[in-house]
């Protein structure tokens, strides 16, 4: 049989999540940077591939086909991704680690993800990678970032919840497989769904919005935005941090903890005699 049962998958993750909380800080930080880079690359690829498409549905489907490979690379290389690590809540409920150790993991991994994604965003913006289509890619990047900063708090929160329910289910599906194709496919499908639906992923937004902010700071790109009549007044670092990243991160935590709690309650609670 090439699959673990749901109960076996939950038990395996409970142990793996506890092991994550015992990793030294330097390793969590470096693996977090790696994962941030992979997710940012997925975001960069989707922007590049879809920026010139006028059909929104087609652009989202194309993005949904490409972006999930970022999570697959994280899973297969052992990278540490904050959104996936919200599942450590399952390990806490199973009494294999503590809330304090889980929060330490989240903080270090989030910092690593931030560094990896931010450096990738800066590299794309300042290297000329956004010059595609005579700056059309830069214009698309700024427009997308401004749209994300313009989300209402409640909308961003709910979209973050939906996103991370799918991401954490993707992590569990990937871990349920015993072979490479199964692991990749397990991670691929749920993440594809969240991208096509336009849900909000905090680590991806650590690329999407800073890339737009960096592009805005480049005079040639700013002139393109002005000529196109693009309103970038809401695209600010404070708008990024408070208007998008805060509610999306909270939503991602809620979504991941809900999945972790559900899997624990359904498959481990009785087994542990809780």
């Amino acid at each position: 049989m090439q699959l673990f049962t749901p109960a076996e998958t939950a038990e395996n993750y409970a142990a793996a999540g506890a092991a994550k909380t015992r990793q030294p800080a330097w390793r969590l930080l470096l693996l977090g940077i790696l994962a941030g880079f992979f997710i940012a690359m997925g975001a960069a690829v989707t922007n590049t591939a879809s920026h010139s498409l006028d059909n929104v549905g087609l652009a989202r489907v194309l993005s949904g086909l490409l972006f999930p490979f970022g999570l697959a690379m994280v899973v297969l290389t052992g990278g540490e991704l904050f959104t996936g690590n919200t599942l450590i809540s399952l390990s806490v409920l199973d009494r294999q680690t503590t809330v304090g150790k889980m929060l330490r993991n989240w903080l270090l991994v989030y910092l690593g993800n931030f560094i990896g994604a931010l450096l990738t965003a800066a590299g794309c913006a300042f290297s000329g990678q956004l010059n595609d289509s005579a700056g059309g890619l830069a214009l698309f990047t700024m427009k997308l970032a401004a749209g994300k900063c313009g989300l209402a708090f409640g909308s961003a929160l709910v979209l973050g919840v939906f996103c991370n329910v799918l991401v954490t289910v993707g992590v569990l599906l990937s871990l349920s497989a015993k072979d490479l194709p199964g692991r990749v496919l397990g991670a691929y499908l749920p993440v594809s769904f969240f991208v096509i639906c336009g849900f909000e992923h905090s680590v991806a937004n650590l690329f999407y919005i800073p890339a737009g902010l960096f592009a805005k700071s480049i005079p040639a790109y700013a002139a393109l935005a002005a000529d196109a009549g693009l309103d970038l007044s809401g695209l600010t670092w404070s708008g990024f941090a408070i208007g998008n990243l805060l509610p999306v991160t909270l939503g991602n935590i809620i979504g991941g903890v809900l999945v972790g709690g559900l899997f624990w309650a359904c498959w481990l609670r009785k087994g542990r005699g809780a």
Side-chain angles (χ1 to χ4, degrees):
M1 185 176 180
Q2 296 302 307
L3 291 173
F4 292 107
T5 66
E8 290 171 334
T9 299
E11 188 170 4
N12 290 343
Y13 188 88
K20 287 175 177 288
T21 65
R22 296 192 292 268
Q23 295 294 326
W26 65 266
R27 182 175 293 153
L28 289 175
L29 188 63
L30 289 179
L31 291 175
I33 292 172
L34 180 67
F37 169 75
F38 285 147
I39 296 299
M41 278 290 110
V45 166
T46 62
N47 276 2
T48 304
S50 64
H51 76 274
S52 62
L53 296 176
D54 294 327
N55 187 306
V56 175
L58 180 60
R60 286 194 173 182
V61 169
L62 180 59
S63 297
L65 292 173
L66 295 172
F67 183 90
F69 287 108
L71 180 61
M73 288 189 288
V74 171
V75 170
L76 296 177
T77 61
E80 292 284 337
L81 184 64
F82 167 75
T83 47
N85 283 10
T86 56
L87 273 177
I88 295 175
S89 55
L90 190 157
S91 307
V92 172
L93 289 169
D94 206 43
R95 301 178 184 175
Q96 296 198 38
T97 191
T98 65
V99 171
K101 291 179 179 179
M102 177 182 69
L103 294 177
R104 169 185 173 272
N105 175 279
W106 287 1
L107 178 62
L108 289 168
V109 169
Y110 199 99
L111 177 60
N113 292 168
F114 184 86
I115 293 170
L118 194 71
L119 289 176
T120 308
C124 288
F126 295 115
S127 69
Q129 191 264 339
L130 301 183
N131 289 340
D132 284 7
S133 303
L137 177 54
L139 196 62
F140 177 87
T141 300
M142 291 184 286
K143 183 179 179 180
L144 178 65
K148 286 181 175 291
C149 287
L151 287 172
F153 190 98
S155 295
L157 180 75
V158 173
L159 293 174
V161 172
F162 286 160
C163 170
N164 217 33
V165 167
L166 289 168
V167 169
T168 49
V169 167
V171 170
L172 291 169
L173 288 179
S174 177
L175 293 178
S176 72
K178 298 181 180 180
D179 56 13
L180 178 61
R183 296 199 67 189
V184 172
L185 188 61
Y188 187 96
L189 292 176
V191 174
S192 178
F193 284 6
F194 103 66
V195 174
I196 293 171
C197 291
F199 299 149
E200 292 288 311
H201 188 274
S202 58
V203 180
N205 286 355
L206 292 174
F207 171 86
Y208 283 127
I209 302 177
L213 285 161
F214 290 138
K216 180 185 175 182
S217 72
I218 297 172
Y221 297 154
L224 283 175
D227 291 342
L230 187 60
D231 181 11
L232 298 180
S233 59
L235 181 56
T236 64
W237 287 100
S238 61
F240 164 48
I242 299 173
N244 182 276
L245 199 59
L246 176 61
V248 170
T249 300
L250 290 175
N252 288 168
I253 290 172
I254 293 169
V257 170
L258 284 174
V259 172
L262 185 149
F263 264 70
W264 174 79
C266 290
W267 304 114
L268 296 182
R269 187 172 182 270
K270 291 181 179 179
R272 291 287 182 267

